[in-house]
Amino acid sequence: MQCVRRQPARTKSQESLYRAQTKTTAKHNMKLIGLEGDKDLQFLMNGGDLLKVRSGSWKQARFYKLQEDCKTMWQESKKAFKSKQTFSVEDIDEVRTGRQTEALRKYTEDSVEGRAFSILFKGRQKGLDLIANSEEDAKKWVGGLEKVISNIKNLTPQEKTEHWIYSCMRKADKNFDNKISQNELKSFLQDINIEVAEDYAEMLFQKCDKSKSGVLEGKEIEHFYEILTEREEIDVIYAEYAKTGGLMSVADLQNFLLNEQKENASQNDALQLIEKYELDENAKAKQQMTKDGFLMYLNQPEGLIFNLAHKSVYQDMNQPLNHYFISSSHNTYLLEDQLKGPSSIEAYIKALLKGCRCVELDCWDGSDGEPVIYHGYTLTSKVLFKDVIKAIKEYAFKTSEYPVILSVENHCSVEQQKTMAEHLISILGSALVTKPLGDQMPTCLPSPEELKGRFIVKGKRLDKLENIFSEESKTAEEESVTEEEDDEGDEEDQEKKSSKSKSLKVAKELSDIVIYCKSVHFHGFEDSRDNQSFYEMASFKEGKAVTLAEESANDYIHHNTDKLSRIYPAGLRTDSSNYNPVPLWNAGCQIVALNFQTPCPEMDLNQGLFLQNGRSGYNLKPAFLRDRDTKFDPITLPEGPWLRRKTLHVMVISAQQLPKVSTRKSSIVDPIVKVQIYGVPADMTEVETQYTENNGFNPMWNENFKFDVRVPDLALVRFLIEDYDSSSSNEFIGQYTLPFNSLKNGYHHVPLLTQNGDHLSFAGLFVHIMVVDAE
C-alpha cells in the first residue's frame, strides 16, 4: 500500500472545480471499463466502513472507497489524525468470500461468516481481512471488486493506454480547470516516464495549441494524445502492406501474414482477424483493416510472441510420469526466508495457482495430537497439517487438472503419522491414490492423463508395492518398522543430527498410501539400475545433483528415463534463494524444486518453461531424454537427433509504457534490453542493446542480434529490461521468458512481467523474430 501525502487545502472555487472534474473523470472511466450505471461499482465509489482484522485484539474500522480512476482503492482510518493509504485494484490477486484465511478463522467467530471477505494481493504484500456491516454489503463489496478487476483486465491495450494517460492528465491538471498549461504538460510527461528537452516540450505544446491561448483544452488535448501515442515503427510496417487506398485489404493482410509472420494463412484467416479486431465499422464492412485495427491485432494473443497453439495442452499426456518435467516447489509452506519467516496455507495456494504440481509438507508433532507443518529447528511459524490439506484440495486443480504430488517430509511420531493418514484419506477422499491403477501390478508409472484430478503421496513405504497383489500384504506388520531416514531432509537438519544413522518409525497407515513415489536412498547409478523399482525415487541435494549433471550427465539421463528424481535447494540458502534449474532439466530431472516465494531469475526460468502446454505443470521431455539408449550428453554434445541447429535473429525495436523503478517524480528510467538464451552450455549467451536515455514511455532501439542454437528443444529465451546505471547495478524493470520452440516468427509484442511473475498491465516490448535452420 502507498501512504498518501497531505495536499494543501483547496479554495472554494478550486473545490467546486475539483468536484466537477472528479464527477466527469469518474463517468469517463466507468464508461471506459464498461460499468457505467453499474450499482455495485457505484457502491464502491460511494465507499463505506469496514472492520479490518489483524489479530484477536486488533480490529479497527476503516473507510474504503474506489477513487474516480476506477482502479485505486482509498483507505482512511477513523483516528483524530487520519492516516490515508491507497492500493491499486490491479495489485489484487483474489477476493475471497467468507472466513477463508488463517487470520479470519483464528480471530473471528462463525457468526460473521457471511459478512467476512479477504483481499489477497500479488507478491508478498500482506492481504486485508475485512468484515462488512451486513451480508448484503459484503456481497456488494466482493461483487463490485470482482467486476472492476475483471473489466480492467479485459481492456484492450489501447483502452488501457487511454485509461492510464487520461488519469495522468487529470493528475497533472493542478487547478482542475480541464486545461493543460505548459508547466502542467512537463509534469505530465514526468508522470508517464519521459523527460524531454525544454525546447522540444515547448515545440510540442505550440504544435497542439491551435487557439494560441497558452493552454490546451478539448480537441487540442486529443491532438496531443494522438501525437503522444503515435507508433512510428507501426506506421512504417503498416504503410508497406496497406496497398488498398491507404488501408489493408484482406489480400494485403494475408500478404503480411505470409511474408512477415511466416504463417500459413489463408484469405479467410486474414478476414477473421479483420472481423475480430477492426475498430472502424465502415472499414470492417469493406473487409479492410485500418492502422488502429492493425495495432489492435498486434497487441492481441495472435500478435504476441508466444505461440498461441502452446497456450492449451498440446503435448502427449499419456506417457509415464517420469517422462515429464514437473513444476515443483520446495518448503512450499514458507512465505519468506527459511529461518524465521511465516508459514502459511496462502503459500500453498499461491504455488498451486501458479501451476505447481509438487508441493512439500514438512511434518512435525503438534499439540493436541494434531501434526503441524513448519521448518524444523527454526523460528518459522506453524500451520496445522489438516488446514494445509484442506487448502490444497480446494486449489489444486484451479490452474491445472493434472495430478498433484504431496512430497511428505516426515518427522512425526507414529501416532501423529496415523492422524496424518486419517486427514489425507478423509479430506481428499477418492481423489487420493491409495492403490495402483488397474487390477494387477503395473510395470511403469501411470500417465498424467490417467491421474487427472488425483493426489499422489511421496514418502516412506514399509514394503514393496508388489505385496499389495500378494498374500504378503495380509501379514505385513500393522504398526511400524524402523527405517533409516531418507537423505531428503534439509542439510541443516542433517548437520544437527548425530553422526549415527538416524532411524524413523513409519506408521503402516501412512505407509499404505504411498503408492507411486516411494522415497529411497540413492547409492549410485549401477545400484539404481539393478535394485530400484520404477515407483521408487531418490531426492538429491542441489550440490550433489549439479555434480552428477556435470560429471555423469548421460548416466543421470539414463536414470531419469524410467525413474523420478527430485532436486532441492542447499540448506545454506536460508534466504530462500534458488539455484539454476537448467542443468538439472538438461539431465532429465523431473522434480526440480524451487523456492516459489522468491522473485529471481531462476523462478523466471521455471515460469517460462511451464508457460507452455496449457500451464499444466507437466511438460513432455524431448525424445532424447526419454530414450533408454540415448547417447545425449549436454556437456559434450555428441552428434545425434538433438542437434537441430537453428539461427535466431532478433530485432529489438521499441518498448511501451515502462514503469518507473523509483517513486521520485523526477526519476526517469534509462532502459536497456538484454536477450538471454538458456539451455545446454554451448547455447548459453547474452546480448544487450544500448541504453535509451530518459525515456520509459516509448524508447526505440532498432538493434539486431543473431544467435546460434544447437539444442532448441532445451532452450529458453529471456527478454530482460533494466534501468541502466553507469555507477551501480542496473535495476529490474520487467522480463519475459518462454521456450525457444514457442517463439513465433515476425513482428510481435512481448508482454512484460514483474519480479513476482505478474503481468505489467501497460508495458510491452516490440520485436521482430526470425528462426531459420542453421546453414
Side-chain angles (χ1 to χ4, degrees):
M1 289 194 185
Q2 294 184 336
C3 290
V4 180
R5 293 181 180 177
R6 184 174 291 180
Q7 301 294 325
R10 292 186 282 264
T11 63
K12 285 187 177 180
S13 60
Q14 283 180 328
E15 184 64 30
S16 177
L17 287 168
Y18 170 74
R19 290 182 182 278
Q21 188 194 75
T22 298
K23 189 174 181 180
T24 302
T25 301
K27 187 174 181 180
H28 172 272
N29 287 319
M30 289 167 74
K31 184 177 181 181
L32 183 64
I33 67 172
L35 290 173
E36 188 176 17
D38 184 87
K39 291 182 179 179
D40 286 340
L41 179 63
Q42 193 59 57
F43 176 83
L44 294 187
M45 300 191 80
N46 291 336
D49 290 340
L50 292 167
L51 190 67
K52 184 177 177 180
V53 178
R54 281 187 182 168
S55 67
S57 59
W58 198 103
K59 297 174 184 176
Q60 302 287 337
R62 293 287 184 266
F63 179 79
Y64 289 89
K65 178 181 183 293
L66 182 66
Q67 294 189 290
E68 65 273 6
D69 65 358
C70 291
K71 70 171 188 176
T72 304
M73 285 294 293
W74 172 281
Q75 171 189 304
E76 186 177 305
S77 72
K78 293 290 184 177
K79 297 177 182 177
F81 176 73
K82 296 183 177 181
S83 64
K84 300 169 183 177
Q85 293 180 317
T86 64
F87 61 87
S88 173
V89 168
E90 291 177 297
D91 291 334
I92 297 175
D93 197 31
E94 179 188 2
V95 182
R96 198 178 296 169
T97 58
R99 297 164 59 248
Q100 297 301 313
T101 62
E102 292 159 272
L104 284 177
R105 280 196 294 266
K106 187 174 181 180
Y107 303 127
T108 63
E109 303 296 326
D110 292 347
S111 58
V112 303
E113 179 71 32
R115 296 191 287 128
F117 66 97
S118 301
I119 298 174
L120 288 306
F121 295 100
K122 299 169 182 175
R124 291 188 177 182
Q125 185 175 338
K126 288 185 177 179
L128 293 173
D129 292 309
L130 305 165
I131 300 175
N133 293 323
S134 67
E135 291 190 12
E136 186 63 30
D137 279 359
K139 289 177 182 176
K140 289 179 180 178
W141 280 107
V142 172
L145 283 169
E146 287 180 339
K147 284 180 186 176
V148 173
I149 293 167
S150 175
N151 284 36
I152 287 180
K153 185 178 180 181
N154 291 327
L155 289 176
T156 67
Q158 286 93 324
E159 289 170 335
K160 286 180 180 179
T161 298
E162 180 186 343
H163 188 198
W164 179 56
I165 290 179
Y166 188 87
S167 297
C168 289
M169 282 185 169
R170 294 305 96 197
K171 184 179 173 183
D173 184 9
K174 302 298 183 185
N175 57 359
F176 319 112
D177 61 356
N178 289 316
K179 300 173 184 178
I180 300 292
S181 67
Q182 193 163 331
N183 283 335
E184 287 173 335
L185 178 73
K186 286 192 286 186
S187 175
F188 163 74
L189 290 173
Q190 284 186 330
D191 276 340
I192 65 169
N193 208 2
I194 184 170
E195 186 173 295
V196 297
E198 290 280 343
D199 55 350
Y200 178 78
E202 185 174 353
M203 181 273 291
L204 188 62
F205 187 86
Q206 297 302 332
K207 186 175 182 179
C208 296
D209 185 16
K210 302 290 186 183
S211 63
K212 305 300 179 186
S213 62
V215 293
L216 305 183
E217 59 181 319
K219 294 290 185 182
E220 294 171 335
I221 292 177
E222 288 181 23
H223 182 47
F224 171 66
Y225 172 82
E226 289 169 1
I227 293 174
L228 194 65
T229 56
E230 186 177 2
R231 294 277 303 274
E232 181 184 345
E233 70 277 30
I234 301 297
D235 294 350
V236 171
I237 299 165
Y238 181 79
E240 188 174 342
Y241 285 91
K243 303 299 185 184
T244 309
L247 298 176
M248 269 190 181
S249 65
V250 171
D252 293 337
L253 181 56
Q254 184 193 19
N255 284 337
F256 171 78
L257 296 173
L258 292 170
N259 298 329
E260 297 292 349
Q261 310 300 74
K262 304 301 178 184
E263 295 179 18
N264 186 22
S266 65
Q267 287 207 355
N268 187 56
D269 294 327
L271 178 59
Q272 286 183 356
L273 288 176
I274 291 173
E275 291 176 346
K276 193 173 182 180
Y277 296 123
E278 179 51 54
L279 304 171
D280 187 306
E281 292 299 327
N282 290 330
K284 188 187 290 187
K286 297 176 183 177
Q287 297 186 348
Q288 294 175 329
M289 181 174 269
T290 62
K291 186 170 64 178
D292 286 342
F294 182 65
L295 180 57
M296 174 72 83
Y297 145 69
L298 285 174
N299 274 304
Q300 296 302 317
E302 292 91 338
L304 299 184
I305 194 169
F306 184 75
N307 189 336
L308 202 55
H310 293 183
K311 282 194 80 172
S312 56
V313 174
Y314 71 96
Q315 296 174 346
D316 179 6
M317 301 301 280
N318 291 293
Q319 300 204 29
L321 282 181
N322 53 283
H323 284 184
Y324 298 83
F325 295 125
I326 303 172
S327 181
S328 307
S329 163
H330 169 252
N331 286 359
T332 314
Y333 48 90
L334 293 176
L335 286 170
E336 297 174 9
D337 64 79
Q338 307 280 315
L339 296 179
K340 53 183 172 36
S343 303
S344 172
I345 62 171
E346 294 301 328
Y348 285 94
I349 293 170
K350 285 178 180 288
L352 290 167
L353 292 178
K354 285 182 177 180
C356 180
R357 297 292 85 189
C358 179
V359 296
E360 186 174 4
L361 300 96
D362 199 346
C363 307
W364 299 79
D365 280 357
S367 57
D368 301 322
E370 284 293 343
V372 295
I373 292 176
Y374 84 112
H375 199 193
Y377 308 113
T378 71
L379 299 176
T380 56
S381 61
K382 302 173 182 178
V383 286
L384 287 174
F385 177 84
K386 64 180 179 182
D387 287 346
V388 168
I389 300 305
K390 288 176 183 176
I392 289 173
K393 181 187 179 183
E394 183 175 351
Y395 286 87
F397 304 112
K398 288 186 181 291
T399 297
S400 168
E401 58 187 343
Y402 291 98
V404 171
I405 299 170
L406 306 177
S407 182
V408 175
E409 190 176 320
N410 179 14
H411 304 275
C412 291
S413 63
V414 169
E415 286 306 311
Q416 293 212 12
Q417 288 180 49
K418 292 179 181 178
T419 303
M420 287 167 57
E422 289 172 10
H423 289 323
L424 286 165
I425 292 168
S426 64
I427 294 169
L428 301 180
S430 60
L432 179 67
V433 175
T434 56
K435 61 181 181 179
L437 305 186
D439 54 7
Q440 59 185 7
M441 182 62 196
T443 56
C444 66
L445 291 170
S447 69
E449 190 67 30
E450 291 175 295
L451 291 168
K452 265 186 181 177
R454 305 294 298 274
F455 296 95
I456 307 165
V457 175
K458 173 194 167 293
K460 281 293 184 183
R461 183 177 175 89
L462 302 179
D463 60 347
K464 293 183 176 180
L465 190 63
E466 289 86 344
N467 291 351
I468 291 178
F469 298 94
S470 70
E471 291 297 315
E472 290 181 50
S473 63
K474 297 178 182 177
T475 59
E477 189 174 333
E478 288 187 15
E479 292 298 328
S480 61
V481 298
T482 299
E483 283 272 306
E484 186 181 273
E485 189 171 26
D486 177 353
D487 70 345
E488 171 183 352
D490 297 293
E491 288 95 324
E492 64 264 33
D493 290 3
Q494 300 293 332
E495 290 164 9
K496 291 185 176 80
K497 296 166 187 168
S498 67
S499 58
K500 294 180 181 178
S501 170
K502 186 179 187 299
S503 62
L504 175 71
K505 285 193 171 183
V506 180
K508 183 177 184 299
E509 290 83 351
L510 186 59
S511 164
D512 284 350
I513 55 177
V514 174
I515 304 300
Y516 291 120
C517 294
K518 177 183 177 180
S519 298
V520 297
H521 279 291
F522 176 74
H523 295 293
F525 294 122
E526 185 177 351
D527 177 78
S528 295
R529 280 193 298 271
D530 296 340
N531 302 310
Q532 190 175 330
S533 297
F534 71 88
Y535 58 85
E536 294 177 322
M537 61 176 290
S539 290
F540 299 83
K541 299 174 186 178
E542 165 194 337
K544 184 175 183 179
V546 170
T547 299
L548 291 173
E550 290 176 349
E551 298 178 2
S552 308
N554 188 253
D555 287 333
Y556 213 174
I557 290 166
H558 284 155
H559 174 85
N560 290 321
T561 58
D562 59 3
K563 299 174 185 68
L564 286 168
S565 290
R566 176 178 175 268
I567 321 300
Y568 58 94
L572 294 176
R573 294 185 182 276
T574 55
D575 58 351
S576 294
S577 60
N578 280 307
Y579 56 94
N580 181 6
V582 173
L584 289 315
W585 290 329
N586 290 345
C589 298
Q590 302 88 350
I591 302 177
V592 182
L594 299 176
N595 290 305
F596 266 54
Q597 74 271 34
T598 305
C600 58
E602 294 80 15
M603 273 305 299
D604 295 342
L605 296 173
N606 192 81
Q607 186 172 3
L609 176 69
F610 291 102
L611 192 63
Q612 61 183 319
N613 208 31
R615 293 178 65 213
S616 63
Y618 285 85
N619 287 354
L620 185 64
K621 295 194 289 184
F624 55 83
L625 291 181
R626 295 180 270 127
D627 178 6
R628 294 186 181 187
D629 299 319
T630 185
K631 298 294 189 293
F632 176 69
D633 186 313
I635 309 298
T636 61
L637 280 188
E639 286 295 325
W642 42 84
L643 289 177
R644 298 192 303 111
R645 292 179 174 88
K646 301 287 182 181
T647 300
L648 168 63
H649 298 273
V650 177
M651 183 181 186
V652 178
I653 302 172
S654 64
Q656 299 76 43
Q657 295 164 248
L658 302 176
K660 293 189 174 192
V661 296
S662 171
T663 55
R664 287 185 293 113
K665 182 183 178 72
S666 59
S667 176
I668 310 297
V669 299
D670 302 326
I672 183 172
V673 180
K674 296 181 178 180
V675 185
Q676 302 165 331
I677 307 291
Y678 290 85
V680 298
D683 288 341
M684 297 278 287
T685 189
E686 174 182 298
V687 298
E688 62 182 46
T689 64
Q690 299 293 313
Y691 70 90
T692 299
E693 193 170 0
N694 290 329
N695 187 351
F697 183 73
N698 56 3
M700 296 276 288
W701 291 279
N702 290 319
E703 294 190 40
N704 291 286
F705 304 101
K706 176 184 174 184
F707 305 88
D708 293 317
V709 180
R710 296 156 185 81
V711 188
D713 290 341
L714 290 176
L716 294 165
V717 183
R718 184 171 185 247
F719 296 91
L720 171 66
I721 305 184
E722 295 177 329
D723 181 15
Y724 175 77
D725 193 317
S726 60
S727 59
S728 62
S729 298
N730 296 346
E731 290 190 76
F732 178 93
I733 294 176
Q735 71 85 33
Y736 187 75
T737 307
L738 74 165
F740 182 93
N741 289 338
S742 294
L743 286 170
K744 285 166 64 178
N745 282 319
Y747 290 102
H748 295 291
H749 282 102
V750 180
L752 294 176
L753 307 180
T754 66
Q755 285 183 301
N756 289 314
D758 301 310
H759 279 276
L760 283 167
S761 292
F762 310 109
L765 181 67
F766 190 56
V767 299
H768 183 270
I769 299 292
M770 187 57 59
V771 178
V772 296
D773 292 332
E775 295 180 358

